[in-house]
Every structure is written in C-alpha cells, then in structure tokens.
Amino acid sequence: MRVTARDLTDARLLREALYGLVRAAMAGREPDPADVERVNAVAAQPDLAPQLGPARWTARSPARAALATVARDAVLLVRGPLLERVKECENPACSLLFLDDSQARRRRWCSMDRCGNLAKIAGYRSRSRAASTR
Ligand SMILES: [Zn+2]
C-alpha cells in the first residue's frame, strides 16, 4: 500500500481529533465541534471492504479507507458501552488512551512492553536503592 504525505497528515489530524473526542466523552463533556466535524468527515468516506480469497480487504484508496474504518470505530466507541473501559495510561510521561479488555478491568498501562516494563524497572530500581541504603 502506498501512503502519501497527505495521507500521513490526514492520519495525524484524525489522531488528534479522536484524542479530543474520546477525552471529552470520558469526561462527560461536549466535544470540540472541530473534532466532531473532522471525525464525521473521515467516517463518511468509503471504508475497507472485506474480500474472499488471498486479499482480505480492498479499497480504491486503502490509506483513506483505513482512516475511515478507524473513525467509524471511534464513533461507535464513544457512543457505546465500551467507553467506560477506556483508560489513560498510568505512566505520567505517556498520554496514550487504551481499551481495558482484561477480565479484571485492572489494566494500568497502554502496553506492558512499553510503559508496564518501564514502571516495573523503575519500581525495581527504587526498591533496590532503598534496600542498599539500609
Ligand atoms: Zn503508556
């Protein structure tokens, strides 16, 4: 799939609009009308079409269709019951939001590989530092 500079810019603009939209929904606030307009415009584009055979998805403009799929998913997310499972990563240096799909609903990090391991390492270091000063 070929991605143009414009596709990349559109993806970044959508990412920011989605962040604002989901943040507002999480806080029970009205979203910024500009965010709503952008997400709605992208969601209204043709999305990826499922296919039989080796190519599982198709679209005339795959990058734009992928963004449309993301925007549609976000619209359904903020209007549906899964919104209450959206959380902010507990790493203060991370601003990612994630869907806690764990059974116990106690997930704390956007990713264990990323922020979860950083927190584990930081915890281990502060415990071993405390132990060595005793
Ligand atoms: Zn994180």
Side-chain angles (χ1 to χ4, degrees), residues 116-127:
N117 274 338
L118 291 174
K120 260 189 180 169
I121 292 165
Y124 173 77
R125 284 197 181 135
S126 72
R127 280 191 303 277

Side-chain angles (χ1 to χ4, degrees), residues 3-4 14 35 43 59 79 101 107 114-115 126-127 129 132:
V3 176
T4 65
L14 178 63
D35 290 341
R79 289 171 52 188
D101 58 356
R107 193 171 142 193
R114 184 185 148 119
C115 294
S126 72
R127 280 191 303 277
R129 219 178 295 123
S132 68

Side-chain angles (χ1 to χ4, degrees), residues 53-71:
R56 295 174 59 200
W57 300 95
T58 190
R60 183 176 285 191
S61 174
R64 299 189 102 195
L67 294 181
T69 300
V70 170

Side-chain angles (χ1 to χ4, degrees), residues 16-37:
E16 297 310 309
L18 291 175
Y19 187 79
L21 185 75
V22 174
R23 278 290 200 186
M26 288 170 74
R29 279 187 283 109
E30 282 299 312
D32 184 326
D35 290 341
V36 171
E37 192 177 323

Side-chain angles (χ1 to χ4, degrees), residues 89 91 94 96 109-111 114-115:
C89 181
N91 177 358
C94 178
L96 291 182
W109 319 109
C110 61
S111 156
R114 184 185 148 119
C115 294

